[in-house]
Amino acid sequence: MNHRSSNETPAVGRLSVARVKARRFGQCALVATGAIALLGSCATNAPQDTWQPKGPNAKMIDDLQQPVFAVAGIIGIIVSVAVAYVIWRYKDRGQPIPEQTHGKPALEITLTVIPALILAVVGVFTFRVIFDLARTDDTQLVINVTGQQWWWEYDYPVQNEWGITQPIISSGQLVMPAGTKVLLRETSRDVIHSYWIPALNGKRDAVPGRIHTLRLEADEPGIYAGQCTEFCGLSHANMRMEAVALSKEDFARWIANQQAAYQAPAEGTLAKEGEAVFLNQCVRCHQVDGLKRPDGTLAIAAPDENVWSGAAPNLTKLMTRNTFAGAMFDLLRDACRDDVWKADSAEFGVKYLAGVDEACLNVNDLRAWLRNAPEVKPMYANPALLTETNGKYRGMPNLGLSESDIDKLVAYLLTLK
Amino acid sequence: MFKVGSKLFLGLTGFAALTLVAYLIFVERLALGGVALSVVFAVLVGLSAVIIMINDGDSEVQPRDVSLVRASMWPLVTVVGFVLLILGLVVAQVYFIFGIVVVLAALTEWLVQAWSESASDDAAHNESARRRLLHPIEFPVIATLGLGVIIFAFSRIMLAISKSAGAVAFIVLSSLVLLVGAIVALRPALKSALVSGICVAGAVGIVVGGIAGQGAGLRTELAEAAAEGHFLHRECGEEKSKYFDKKAMKTISLRTNPVAIVELRGGVLSAIMTGFNEPQKIVSVPRGNPVTFIFRNFDDAERRMVASLGTAMAAGAETSTEKEGHSDSNETCTQLIPQGAEQALTVTYAKPSIAQEDPLTLTVPGVTGQAIEVVVP
Ligand SMILES: [Cu+2]
């Protein structure tokens, strides 16, 4: 083999200015990406941080992943350092090619057995956690969760021990008692979605035609944010959810209020006019339990005829929740919302149960929604483009309401609590 | 520059271009067929270019004895294929696709034959070269087609004759096959003409039988079932009716993930649901979404489960404002199943419980005083 002597001009290995620049750029990009990743992990306001478990199920996962991450990290560092050392130590300086050997059984077996052992240990602990997280026999409260483009519906089956004597239905915010083993029974009305509240547990897919279960338990009262984690179409990124944990007493209050009968607005009020607009415009999709038509019959919504998934949020107790449209928008103004989110756990329940009143209503976002919903949340709601769905909407269409109708509707919606 | 090969390919390329244009104009714009034809066109352009570049495979062999070339049926078949293809453009897509298949197959055969005939001056060697190339393709394709025809013909026979005659025919025929097979195996000296004669006779018999079976039509029960539709007769009573399914499915995959398993045990009906430690009497199901129940019968009589669908009708049947026109048979049910068997029932409740005059229920005809209430929020 020929080796270059030092006075020869090397044909390769010399870099053009352009290549040096490109390399510098590459290095900068690498450093920048690393820095972003590193700094990102320092965020103080990170409600969906998986490394901050707030309940026993998430804690179980955390207790597993911390040591696994440590072991993997140490191995990763050892391997990278070794590779870097070898690259530096044996780089081509024109030295002769050393003698080539083939195979070192002792070394190879050792290097196979050690990782196998490490993986076996990790495997044993992982399986234990998987089976513990799949348990359903210690459930204390069952909540049905149904996903659809692009919001979550919650319904509470009759459970007399919790005072639930008639079905309760809600959306956007999952209200549950703290310190209680809650079991979600998930399904979907259209495509596959996935339910994930990082602080409380891992993810579980919601699949049409199937019932999947997910354990949730929050140690303390509070709001825990999450989002759909299975790509489900146009507004997947806007399909969020919040789990609201209340103390058991506050939860009982919430249950009682959810089951309270519908109160029609008083005659002659703006809200009463809003009820009439609602009956005309909204009831074909949205159910308000107990709402009656002028002729005294119950108004029964027909989302099955108008919405592709066959459902639209039940608005009976809209103003008891803090968010709307798949938890994408706040129903509370920023200040009021901060007041609830940042309340300490003793006060939190009372503040949450107060719901939304006129002073705190985030009237801008709600009006924008009523004025033209597809403009503020991407949805397939253009009447001209619904051939694929038999003329049914995916999402809420623009209803072309007048500003005065919107005034009336907002007044009416404020009574729904 | 342009020799035989390049002329053939250039011609084909031109033809592909014409077909593509004709397809786009007459059949459909932006359809799958257009894409396929464009691909054919592009491939032919490429092939033509290659042929021209390699100088038309300029053979070193000098003019050969013309008598080496055999008569070939492939030009004829290719033409038939093209006719089908063009017919298909006008008449129906099936002919078009069939035409493509025929043209491609015939062209392949033709090309290989033409190539093999000029491979050397030795006709026998040329023929064996052709076989080596084509038999691995021809044999499986012909065998598949032949077996397909026989299986299809056999299925026509089995659908036409009665169930018991079908069983007899199957036993006799399979024994015959076994017998003939055994004889052939034991007597290798048997004339091959005789063996293939028997096989051909058998195949022809089955095909003729199949044609006769197709002419005779389905046997009465099947014809009746096809015309009536088992599920048109929503007979959800206690008794077996004329239309009851004599071979009801008795077990279900556990992976069905039902919303509830409804068990009839000792005259008591209860719903078992994941998450609930006790058997339930009330089941909550989401509105407007198909949900699956599994019914398990532990009673010693044959039983079925009936789901009432309520007075507010199922999806799309009426608008929310008008509640007239309920049908009183607004229910659906499983088949009658014996002790120990299970069946699934998938139901969609479009309207909530508050819209119903009576509670929605799951019941078992013949078992009184037992019902599971279905609550739809
Ligand atoms: Cu989703």
Side-chain angles (χ1 to χ4, degrees):
Chain A
M1 191 161 185
N2 269 330
H3 290 285
R4 289 192 302 272
S5 61
S6 52
N7 56 3
E8 259 175 1
T9 319
V12 285
R14 179 184 276 175
L15 297 174
S16 68
V17 175
R19 281 187 67 186
V20 171
K21 276 190 176 161
R23 185 183 269 193
R24 285 227 180 103
F25 177 77
Q27 285 164 347
C28 287
L30 206 69
V31 171
T33 324
I36 289 170
L38 209 67
L39 293 174
S41 57
C42 308
T44 48
N45 179 16
Q48 293 179 195
D49 188 346
T50 36
W51 294 72
Q52 290 187 38
K54 295 281 163 57
N57 299 300
K59 191 89 181 42
M60 243 189 279
I61 299 177
D62 197 55
D63 287 348
L64 178 69
Q65 81 163 347
Q66 298 273 9
V68 171
F69 190 83
V71 172
I74 292 170
I75 295 175
I77 290 172
I78 293 176
V79 170
S80 336
V81 167
V83 168
Y85 172 74
V86 168
I87 289 174
W88 174 80
R89 175 72 181 75
Y90 297 106
K91 76 176 179 190
D92 184 2
R93 298 185 181 85
Q95 72 273 50
I97 300 260
E99 187 203 340
Q100 303 290 298
T101 61
H102 193 80
K104 267 221 189 315
L107 188 68
E108 281 168 22
I109 291 174
T110 320
L111 286 184
T112 310
V113 168
I114 293 176
L117 281 178
I118 295 175
L119 287 180
V121 172
V122 170
V124 167
F125 286 102
T126 307
F127 272 105
R128 266 201 51 188
V129 171
I130 289 176
F131 281 98
D132 283 349
L133 286 176
R135 279 184 66 183
T136 58
D137 54 358
D138 54 353
T139 304
Q140 294 170 302
L141 172 70
V142 173
I143 304 176
N144 293 332
V145 176
T146 312
Q148 53 263 293
Q149 288 171 328
W150 290 278
W151 54 283
W152 294 96
E153 179 182 278
Y154 306 106
D155 76 80
Y156 297 68
V158 170
Q159 286 161 92
N160 292 316
E161 62 277 27
W162 289 98
I164 308 173
T165 54
Q166 66 188 60
I168 292 175
I169 181 163
S170 175
S171 61
Q173 281 184 325
L174 168 82
V175 179
M176 59 186 223
T180 303
K181 293 186 174 58
V182 175
L183 190 77
L184 305 187
R185 287 168 50 102
E186 295 178 15
T187 188
S188 161
R189 286 195 170 94
D190 40 35
V191 298
I192 301 180
H193 302 274
S194 185
Y195 201 86
W196 191 34
I197 308 279
L200 301 186
N201 199 343
K203 310 168 181 182
R204 182 74 80 244
D205 277 10
V207 181
R210 298 177 64 93
I211 308 281
H212 290 174
T213 57
L214 177 67
R215 297 161 64 91
L216 280 193
E217 179 173 354
D219 293 334
E220 295 291 325
I223 302 189
Y224 306 94
Q227 67 187 81
C228 177
T229 57
E230 179 67 59
F231 180 69
C232 58
L234 199 55
S235 252
H236 167 62
N238 301 319
M239 184 167 169
R240 298 164 166 275
M241 57 273 204
E242 285 167 8
V244 180
L246 298 174
S247 69
K248 294 213 174 70
E249 303 75 53
D250 287 336
F251 183 68
R253 276 181 211 119
W254 182 82
I255 291 285
N257 182 47
Q258 296 291 313
Q259 296 181 123
Y262 175 72
Q263 295 284 329
E267 290 296 336
T269 55
L270 193 63
K272 189 70 190 173
E273 289 178 47
E275 190 189 52
V277 179
F278 193 89
L279 280 167
N280 270 332
Q281 296 281 355
C282 319
V283 108
R284 67 194 163 103
C285 294
H286 291 290
Q287 183 72 43
V288 169
D289 296 352
L291 171 61
K292 291 201 167 115
R293 295 182 185 281
D295 65 4
T297 55
L298 275 182
I300 302 298
D304 46 298
E305 290 159 29
N306 298 298
V307 186
W308 180 239
S309 65
N314 185 306
L315 300 181
T316 312
K317 299 283 170 184
L318 175 67
M319 292 296 162
T320 62
R321 9 199 216 258
N322 291 175
T323 61
F324 69 100
M328 182 184 178
F329 301 107
D330 291 324
L331 268 176
L332 290 173
R333 284 178 205 279
D334 284 352
C336 300
R337 180 179 163 80
D338 282 353
D339 198 32
V340 178
W341 272 71
K342 296 193 176 138
D344 56 60
S345 46
E347 285 186 326
F348 169 74
V350 179
K351 293 200 163 156
Y352 182 77
L353 287 177
V356 183
D357 58 17
E358 193 167 359
C360 270
L361 176 69
N362 175 5
V363 74
N364 289 345
D365 283 352
L366 185 60
R367 291 186 71 101
W369 179 258
L370 298 178
R371 202 173 288 125
N372 187 356
E375 193 183 70
V376 289
K377 179 171 184 173
M379 300 185 282
Y380 297 107
N382 180 344
L385 301 176
L386 300 179
T387 42
E388 269 176 51
T389 51
N390 281 334
K392 293 178 184 173
Y393 297 99
R394 276 185 278 175
M396 175 160 148
N398 176 358
L399 295 164
L401 300 172
S402 68
E403 287 302 309
S404 81
D405 277 352
I406 295 179
D407 291 341
K408 295 173 193 166
L409 280 171
V410 169
Y412 172 61
L413 293 178
L414 269 169
T415 66
L416 300 176
K417 52 193 297 201
Chain B
M1 181 182 180
F2 297 114
K3 306 233 175 68
V4 189
S6 48
K7 278 183 200 153
L8 170 69
F9 275 97
L10 285 174
L12 283 175
T13 312
F15 187 76
L18 281 181
T19 322
L20 176 60
V21 171
Y23 185 85
L24 291 183
I25 294 175
F26 295 118
V27 184
E28 225 179 334
R29 242 151 222 281
L30 294 177
L32 198 61
V35 176
L37 281 172
S38 315
V39 172
V40 172
F41 173 69
V43 168
L44 283 171
V45 169
L47 283 177
S48 311
V50 170
I51 295 278
I52 292 170
M53 251 165 56
I54 61 171
N55 217 0
D56 210 354
D58 231 1
S59 123
E60 282 106 63
V61 186
Q62 289 312 303
R64 296 166 305 260
D65 189 351
V66 185
S67 66
L68 276 175
V69 177
R70 291 190 311 162
S72 171
M73 64 168 173
W74 297 121
L76 191 72
V77 180
T78 313
V79 168
V80 172
F82 276 127
V83 170
L84 276 173
L85 208 144
I86 292 166
L87 208 67
L89 285 180
V90 188
V91 184
Q93 210 182 1
V94 229
Y95 297 106
F96 181 76
I97 291 169
F98 193 55
I100 291 183
V101 174
V102 172
V103 166
L104 287 181
L107 275 181
T108 316
E109 291 277 2
W110 188 0
L111 286 175
V112 174
Q113 186 177 355
W115 162 81
S116 75
E117 277 165 358
S118 59
S120 78
D121 285 344
D122 178 358
H125 167 80
N126 289 353
E127 177 58 17
S128 86
R130 190 194 78 86
R131 283 199 198 131
R132 255 210 323 274
L133 210 62
L134 281 182
H135 278 182
I137 304 172
E138 282 174 358
F139 283 6
V141 170
I142 292 173
T144 310
L145 287 178
L147 283 178
V149 168
I150 291 191
I151 291 171
F152 186 74
F154 191 67
S155 72
R156 297 306 100 182
I157 301 178
M158 296 303 272
L159 285 174
I161 58 184
S162 78
K163 258 189 177 174
S164 35
V168 173
F170 206 99
I171 293 170
V172 170
L173 219 74
S174 46
S175 320
L176 267 178
V177 171
L178 190 66
L179 196 72
V180 171
I183 292 175
V184 171
L186 292 175
R187 294 269 183 86
L190 227 56
K191 275 224 175 79
S192 70
L194 185 66
V195 176
S196 41
I198 294 175
C199 290
V200 169
V204 168
I206 289 183
V207 171
V208 170
I211 294 171
Q214 179 75 15
L218 297 173
R219 63 168 166 271
T220 5
E221 303 107 273
L222 291 177
E224 207 172 87
E228 294 279 358
H230 189 82
F231 289 98
L232 278 182
H233 298 272
R234 265 213 215 112
E235 291 183 326
C236 293
E238 191 181 349
E239 302 301 325
K240 287 180 182 174
S241 76
K242 180 176 173 207
Y243 297 99
F244 92 97
D245 190 341
K246 295 170 186 72
K247 290 241 152 43
M249 188 135 22
K250 296 198 180 82
T251 49
I252 296 159
S253 156
L254 273 179
R255 279 163 290 174
T256 312
N257 276 53
V259 80
I261 296 172
V262 179
E263 287 190 351
L264 176 63
R265 205 189 275 271
V268 177
L269 209 55
S270 55
I272 295 165
M273 297 159 78
T274 4
F276 291 89
N277 302 325
E278 301 293 319
Q280 300 288 306
K281 281 286 182 188
I282 301 179
V283 177
S284 264
V285 306
R287 167 188 190 172
N289 202 24
V291 288
T292 301
F293 299 102
I294 288 181
F295 170 55
R296 285 195 185 138
N297 179 18
F298 292 100
D299 204 2
D300 50 12
E302 289 200 344
R303 295 292 185 202
R304 63 158 42 105
M305 185 178 76
V306 180
S308 71
L309 297 174
T311 39
M313 284 282 289
E318 65 173 0
T319 67
S320 54
T321 42
E322 38 187 48
K323 282 179 82 189
E324 283 82 39
H326 326 134
S327 84
D328 42 10
S329 68
N330 200 2
E331 57 186 14
T332 183
C333 54
T334 67
Q335 304 297 307
L336 277 173
I337 51 168
Q339 188 170 30
E342 55 184 7
Q343 272 216 336
L345 185 65
T346 301
V347 187
T348 306
Y349 299 96
K351 300 285 181 257
S353 295
I354 52 165
Q356 312 294 350
E357 279 155 19
D358 304 312
L360 301 163
T361 55
L362 301 172
T363 49
V364 174
V367 177
T368 46
Q370 289 291 317
I372 302 289
E373 188 186 341
V374 177
V375 172
V376 184

